[in-house]
Amino acid sequence: MAFRYDSGSSLFETDEIFINTTTAVFRQLVAADSLLKPALTLTGSGIGGAANLFAYKLDSVVLGSIVITDPFIIVQPEAGYFARKDAIGFFGNNLMEKFAQISIDFPNRKMFLKPRNPSNHRIYFN
């Protein structure tokens, strides 16, 4: 199981990085860190209407060979994709805009990313 890329997902302009996750994944994070508290409340809207979404600040998230420090995770309600047993979460254009070049190899299910700013202390490669 892996995070998905949602090319239709976008946020307001920010240097912060936001990653969406399921309630089930969030429960695992709370089990590991019971002091995890909401840092922000966002209002999101989609096909099902508007919803208040809690965002939590993490130390880091690893997506394949990318390590992101100080990201926010947005916990999504258990509806649509986020109600599926195999769902983990997704990242959208908020993360992708931090890169100068993106290549997607669809048949092999791989992404190749070139950092916009190689000295960015928040995104680095393993």
Side-chain angles (χ1 to χ4, degrees):
M1 295 188 290
F3 278 84
R4 295 179 177 201
Y5 169 49
D6 181 349
S7 62
S9 172
S10 188
L11 288 173
F12 46 89
E13 189 172 326
T14 179
D15 290 334
E16 301 293 341
I17 296 171
F18 290 85
I19 299 168
N20 295 272
T21 194
T22 64
T23 302
V25 169
F26 177 69
R27 285 186 193 118
Q28 293 174 18
L29 292 171
V30 170
D33 180 0
S34 62
L35 300 177
L36 201 55
K37 302 286 183 233
L40 299 169
T41 303
L42 306 172
T43 301
S45 61
I47 294 172
N52 287 327
L53 306 169
F54 295 109
Y56 298 78
K57 187 86 157 203
L58 299 181
D59 291 333
S60 65
V61 168
V62 178
L63 299 174
S65 63
I66 301 170
V67 179
I68 303 165
T69 59
D70 299 323
F72 286 92
I73 58 160
I74 301 171
V75 181
Q76 295 286 336
E78 293 182 30
Y81 164 74
F82 290 98
R84 292 174 42 166
K85 297 275 188 227
D86 65 336
I88 299 295
F90 70 85
F91 56 92
N93 294 327
N94 166 264
L95 175 60
M96 295 290 94
E97 68 189 10
K98 310 298 191 262
F99 295 93
Q101 186 175 14
I102 303 164
S103 298
I104 301 174
D105 177 353
F106 287 101
N108 293 307
R109 302 175 57 100
K110 294 186 185 257
M111 270 188 171
F112 302 94
L113 307 165
K114 179 180 175 184
R116 180 176 303 282
N117 180 356
S119 64
N120 185 335
H121 68 282
R122 301 187 60 201
I123 299 173
Y124 61 93
F125 294 85
N126 281 342

